[in-house]
Amino acid sequence: MDNRPIGFLDSGVGGLTVVRELIRQLPQEEVVYVGDSARAPYGPRPAEQIREFTWQLVRFLLTKNVKMIVIACNTATAIVWEEIKEKLDIPVIGVILPGAGAAIKASQTGRIGVIGTPMTIQSDIYREKIQFLAPQIEVISLACPRFAPLVESNEINSSLAKKVVYESLAPLAEAELDTLVLGCTHYPLLGALIQRVMGSNVSLIDSGAECVRDISVLLNYFQLNRSWSAGSSRHQFYTTASAKSFQDIAESWLKQTIDVEHVDL
Amino acid sequence: MDNRPIGFLDSGVGGLTVVRELIRQLPQEEVVYVGDSARAPYGPRPAEQIREFTWQLVRFLLTKNVKMIVIACNTATAIVWEEIKEKLDIPVIGVILPGAGAAIKASQTGRIGVIGTPMTIQSDIYREKIQFLAPQIEVISLACPRFAPLVESNEINSSLAKKVVYESLAPLAEAELDTLVLGCTHYPLLGALIQRVMGSNVSLIDSGAECVRDISVLLNYFQLNRSWSAGSSRHQFYTTASAKSFQDIAESWLKQTIDVEHVDL
């Protein structure tokens, strides 16, 4: 048993989709979350800057005595997960391998779509990981640069959101996918819209939700679960931008009241 | 990368349900399987004997230079997984925690059923692991002692099988489950029958299939994946009983021709 919290980092609020799944699947665990909304989205930034920002978030989490770090951001995972995992002596989990594995499991036809930020799609890491595991699978990738900013500005159900989602996904209409990876942790907040555009025959893979299975596997394997006798969880949330607007999105998504502090990195 | 095979053990043919998922999800991996059909089922045996038999199977797999051992048998996992995991310096995976985690993830109502061998149900290990992770969940357990022998004798679609499945699951009719864990790796071979009796609103959790997600997580985490450049996989199957009857069941289940050798432990 290990009663320390699990650290989550994201470019902004997207990683909250992972936290929501964690709270549902592993309700006794405690979360320290840091979102870099002041500099979100990471997707269009150069790789070296993403690397530097992500390490800043990691160092911040380490000051909070975390037992594990979850890089709840596909872009950061694509660029710097392996390096961070190498350097730290606690487990470090990214969101890409879990999403890739779940997509392979879900797909019957072997035609898998991936949507993500420009950097994630440009890195081609989903194709690499999916075909590393199962080379017969065809991967069709599409960058959706307008999705994460919609979510960061809490425009999840607006008519603008509908328009953007319809327009952005149009290139996939003829792709004959049976599975679509939401390769950015912001996208599950647009999940209902995306499902409507793609049709009910396409399975959406929430890379963040899948990542909670990995968290659970490694907590079990390394015997790091938090004990129930440690009392109820007190999650901590930090953002580099406005605490108020982070709190609005987080409370509506997590369906609970939370405390948010602003932090300068 | 690590091109050595993964070792699987089971009391008999049930673990083939895990192998089938492995071949589907991780087709580049290579399998060494040993089934103790001569002494199956393990379910009604005393714990000390299950422990001794399982260690014999583990020692056999170690002679095959495996990189990981999968205890593809719920009964053996319940009794001896933790001890084997402690003693070996390669990863050792059981089927119970994966099944428990997947059931928690699947259940919306928090009423989960578990069916298994008498020993698995008597050990109460599914309830223990599920409530360790999520204590609010109610677990309704039922031993189905007649299921594994049906599968070992390849009576999967017979009228006897239908009768046994209907009769055995009758006590769950009023239990208002939304999720049922197939807590024995033999049971997915009766999956279609079980689904028909339980109704389409109950999600069946195949503990073996879920276990392949854990295998994948740990292969990735420890960087033990087999390289594609190592060539196509040559699986090896061993049974303590008749090679012929093992082969009949295995080939129809795995939908490929395989070689089976008899082995005395």
Side-chain angles (χ1 to χ4, degrees), chain B residues 70-90:
Chain B
V70 180
I71 303 182
C73 171
N74 280 267
T75 308
T77 301
I79 302 299
V80 72
W81 168 60
E82 292 191 16
E83 178 185 320
I84 295 169
K85 177 170 180 285
E86 284 294 304
K87 295 238 167 113
L88 301 193
D89 57 4
I90 54 175

Side-chain angles (χ1 to χ4, degrees), chain B residues 98-259:
Chain B
I104 294 168
K105 185 171 170 220
S107 178
Q108 299 297 326
T109 65
R111 290 183 62 83
I112 295 176
V114 177
I115 54 176
T117 66
M119 178 55 86
T120 300
I121 297 304
Q122 189 193 317
S123 75
D124 216 23
I125 191 162
Y126 270 102
R127 184 195 315 278
E128 183 192 307
K129 296 301 183 190
I130 288 172
Q131 294 185 341
F132 170 73
L133 297 168
Q136 79 283 7
I137 287 186
E138 284 188 81
V139 178
I140 298 92
S141 302
L142 178 69
C144 296
R146 300 168 74 191
F147 284 13
L150 275 179
V151 173
E152 285 291 327
S153 57
N154 207 5
E155 292 230 42
I156 294 171
N157 297 306
S158 68
S159 55
L160 173 66
K162 282 175 198 158
K163 186 166 174 294
V164 167
V165 171
Y166 271 87
E167 286 176 2
S168 301
L169 297 178
L172 296 179
E174 306 295 323
E176 296 182 6
L177 311 172
D178 77 339
T179 304
L180 179 68
V181 179
L182 306 181
C184 171
T185 51
H186 287 70
Y187 296 0
L189 289 141
L190 299 166
L193 268 180
I194 294 171
Q195 186 79 69
R196 206 183 312 156
V197 176
M198 295 306 297
S200 58
N201 291 334
V202 174
S203 305
L204 300 190
I205 302 296
D206 176 342
S207 59
E210 295 303 329
C211 149
V212 175
R213 287 279 286 127
D214 285 47
I215 294 169
S216 178
V217 170
L218 294 178
L219 287 175
N220 288 332
Y221 192 83
F222 292 112
Q223 300 185 301
L224 296 176
N225 301 81
R226 182 166 179 273
S227 165
W228 283 94
S229 61
S232 57
S233 311
R234 296 190 49 175
H235 308 306
Q236 306 165 57
F237 294 88
Y238 299 89
T239 174
T240 57
S242 150
K244 178 70 179 69
S245 68
F246 185 101
Q247 191 171 21
D248 286 347
I249 298 176
E251 290 188 346
S252 92
W253 183 246
L254 299 177
K255 295 185 173 49
Q256 58 180 253
T257 54
I258 58 166
D259 289 323

Side-chain angles (χ1 to χ4, degrees), chain B residues 16-79:
Chain B
L16 292 170
T17 63
V18 190
V19 171
R20 185 165 86 161
E21 275 299 311
L22 183 98
I23 290 172
R24 200 176 75 78
Q25 293 183 42
L26 297 168
Q28 82 282 23
E29 294 298 330
E30 206 164 62
V31 169
V32 180
Y33 185 100
V34 58
D36 195 9
S37 291
R39 301 185 290 194
Y42 280 7
R45 291 182 180 274
E48 188 45 44
Q49 202 174 48
I50 294 167
R51 186 176 165 274
E52 184 191 329
F53 291 176
T54 306
W55 268 110
Q56 289 173 358
L57 297 168
V58 167
R59 282 192 291 267
F60 174 77
L61 288 173
L62 291 175
T63 68
K64 301 294 174 188
N65 193 30
V66 295
K67 64 184 170 188
M68 176 184 276
I69 286 182
V70 180
I71 303 182
C73 171
N74 280 267
T75 308
T77 301
I79 302 299

